[in-house]
Amino acid sequence: MRMIQGLTSEEILKESQDVLQTNGEWELAGISVAPSTLTLDEGGYSEIKYYIILRRRPVLYVVNLLIPSCFLITVDLFSFLLPPQTVDRSSFKMTLILGYTVFLLIMNDLLPVTGETTPLINVFFSISLALMVASLLETVLITNIQCSSSQYNAVPRWLSVLVLRYLAVVVFLPRKKKNNQITVFLNPSLIAKNFSNTDISAIQLQPVFGDTPPVNPPPEPALDELRKLSRDLLAIRLQVDKHFQGSETSQEWQMIGIVIDRLLFGLYIVFIAVSFITIICLWSNHYAA
């Protein structure tokens, strides 16, 4: 720095900016001159006080810290588009959190150190990590609803009305119509019963038309095998229908999970936008001041 007596603060600042050499992190923002008189017992002395204002250059922190953090937050945001039924979304989010934690540990030396106040960039990193953790907890909740819906009891009436009737409209997700497809099959027991009644009626009517004594019809092994095969095929069909279509309760729980996932995704976007806009406004005001 170059300070020459008799120059104004603006001239000293201009001269100092021409000769000042730094490591790139700091820049000279301003210099103010305050002349005063020091009074002692022996007499008065004139003194000049120079107030030097230094400011950190934001480019280093924006390139090395803020932009990578925004990239990770963006990836975590788009991870909500992964279907929780087929993709293990929680493992993906856990990997993001671990990667972000390692990133903060590596870049810890670049963070500004102050004694009295907490830097705004540290608040930004804390909010970003808290958002990632909240996203992981939401994923755990949705995955539990989607994968364990068959073990739950019936959905309460108030929850079904609140989520499927009102919240589904808010998130622009119309409720799916119930499937009216019905599996039609023959009841083997009913057929056997009708067949037995028919045989009995025929046997009871035989003495009326003749003197031949009633004779029991011989058993037919092929008919018994066909009845057993029909029951087995029917059981297989019902199991397949239950596996692919699911019960009504399971489908309702899964629909509730989809609506809650969409709602929390929207709230996540709103909270990220509000947090980032607030931090940018505070940073701009602080930088301008």
Side-chain angles (χ1 to χ4, degrees), residues 220-230:
E220 298 181 6
L223 183 59
D224 294 337
E225 292 296 331
L226 288 176
R227 290 174 180 172
K228 292 180 181 179
L229 182 60
S230 176

Side-chain angles (χ1 to χ4, degrees), residues 64-109:
N64 294 331
L65 297 177
L66 293 182
I67 292 180
S69 297
C70 292
F71 284 160
L72 292 176
I73 287 292
T74 304
V75 173
D76 183 68
L77 180 63
F78 279 97
S79 66
F80 278 91
L81 301 179
L82 296 175
Q85 301 91 345
T86 57
V87 180
D88 191 1
R89 192 194 292 176
S90 59
S91 300
F92 181 77
K93 290 181 178 291
M94 181 62 71
T95 305
L96 282 179
I97 293 177
L98 292 177
Y100 191 70
T101 304
V102 173
F103 167 75
L104 293 180
L105 292 176
I106 294 175
M107 295 298 175
N108 190 30
D109 295 335

Side-chain angles (χ1 to χ4, degrees), residues 155-208:
V155 180
R157 176 65 180 173
W158 63 270
L159 183 61
S160 177
V161 172
L162 177 62
V163 176
L164 300 181
R165 182 175 300 178
Y166 297 106
L167 294 183
V169 177
V170 174
V171 298
F172 303 101
L173 190 64
R175 185 174 181 179
K176 295 182 179 180
K177 296 182 179 180
K178 294 184 179 180
N179 189 6
N180 296 325
Q181 182 179 1
I182 300 174
T183 302
V184 180
F185 57 90
L186 297 176
N187 192 343
S189 61
L190 183 59
I191 295 175
K193 183 178 179 181
N194 293 333
F195 182 78
S196 300
N197 293 335
T198 305
D199 293 343
I200 294 173
S201 300
I203 292 170
Q204 290 176 354
L205 291 174
Q206 275 183 354
V208 177

Side-chain angles (χ1 to χ4, degrees), residues 80-86 89 138-139 141-147 149 152 155 159 162-164 167-176 249-267:
F80 278 91
L81 301 179
L82 296 175
Q85 301 91 345
T86 57
R89 192 194 292 176
E138 184 270 343
T139 301
L141 174 63
I142 298 302
T143 304
N144 186 21
I145 294 176
Q146 293 288 338
C147 298
S149 58
Y152 294 159
V155 180
L159 183 61
L162 177 62
V163 176
L164 300 181
L167 294 183
V169 177
V170 174
V171 298
F172 303 101
L173 190 64
R175 185 174 181 179
K176 295 182 179 180
T249 302
S250 178
Q251 291 180 358
E252 198 167 6
W253 276 113
Q254 291 180 2
M255 190 64 187
I256 288 175
I258 294 174
V259 173
I260 294 177
D261 183 59
R262 183 75 65 86
L263 177 63
L264 294 179
F265 175 56
L267 293 178

Side-chain angles (χ1 to χ4, degrees), residues 13 17 20 22-30 52-58 287:
L13 176 62
Q17 287 177 345
L20 181 65
T22 63
N23 59 355
E25 182 180 359
W26 298 90
E27 63 178 350
L28 183 62
I52 302 173
I53 302 174
L54 298 177
R55 182 170 53 194
R56 286 189 176 93
R57 297 180 186 271
Y287 188 79

